[in-house]
Amino acid sequence: MSILDDERWSGLRGGYKVIYDARPALRALAFRYDDRSVWDDLWNELHHQGDVGDASYAAVVEIVRISEGHAPAYWGAYGLAATIEEARLLDDRNPPVPRWIEPHYKAAWRTLVHLALRDLATATDDETVNCALAVVALYRGRFNLGRMAMCAEDERAEMLRDYFGR
């Protein structure tokens, strides 16, 4: 499912709406999956204050492909994919998934939800549980549940107190 060899990457835009070729970071991730600096680079470039670009969608495809070889997947794979999908669905200023990426993006999300369900069976850390639940909810069309799942427990408790009282 790799689309890394497609030359269209060099013209894709990230979260800052400027050209960002994520291929070097994705190649680094394939060799150093637990390298936080690579994950930080991807988070910083692919999403910015609710903005995503076509590079963001293409990167999700590769992040999922790379994450398939890791059990459990790093929570950031779930979190970044969910954040990008949330932005895509929430804000019309964000571009649609390009047609050449769309079948790969949909397939990546089908794989991602299987990884999330697998990892939810054993995960205990808040980041993995929250982000994997967000992936499942978004995939199942439960947009608001997915957004809430990505919140920290204290944020959800505050929302519920505000709504229900006490």
Side-chain angles (χ1 to χ4, degrees):
M1 182 163 73
S2 178
I3 57 174
L4 280 177
D5 294 329
D6 195 303
E7 285 307 312
R8 289 176 275 198
W9 279 88
S10 61
L12 299 180
R13 297 180 183 277
Y16 287 96
K17 306 297 185 189
V18 297
I19 291 177
Y20 172 65
D21 188 343
R23 289 179 296 181
L26 293 166
R27 287 183 180 117
L29 188 66
F31 289 103
R32 297 184 319 275
Y33 189 72
D34 60 348
D35 187 332
R36 298 303 182 253
S37 66
V38 176
W39 283 104
D40 289 346
D41 180 53
L42 291 168
W43 273 95
N44 290 332
E45 295 295 334
L46 297 174
H47 175 267
H48 178 70
Q49 297 180 350
D51 291 334
V52 296
D54 43 12
S56 308
Y57 308 135
V60 166
V61 173
E62 289 303 310
I63 289 168
V64 172
R65 185 185 61 79
I66 294 164
S67 295
E68 281 185 279
H70 299 272
Y74 177 57
W75 73 266
Y78 299 125
L80 186 53
T83 298
I84 289 167
E85 182 67 357
E86 174 191 18
R88 181 184 77 82
L89 296 170
L90 186 64
D91 197 333
D92 290 340
R93 294 177 305 157
N94 290 317
V97 178
R99 287 191 339 195
W100 70 275
I101 298 171
E102 188 174 20
H104 304 285
Y105 188 78
K106 287 179 178 180
W109 266 88
R110 285 191 301 273
T111 299
L112 189 64
V113 77
H114 288 291
L115 297 177
L117 291 169
R118 175 201 70 193
D119 291 346
L120 280 169
T122 57
T124 57
D125 62 288
D126 289 344
E127 293 89 355
T128 302
V129 171
N130 291 351
C131 295
L133 284 171
V135 162
V136 173
L138 288 169
Y139 182 77
R140 294 290 183 207
R142 304 307 191 266
F143 180 70
N144 290 320
L145 181 59
R147 293 181 75 196
M148 286 194 71
M150 289 194 297
C151 295
E153 183 63 25
D154 60 331
E155 293 170 316
R156 287 190 296 268
E158 182 179 341
M159 286 182 227
L160 291 169
R161 271 193 309 276
D162 289 348
Y163 186 78
F164 291 113
R166 296 178 34 167

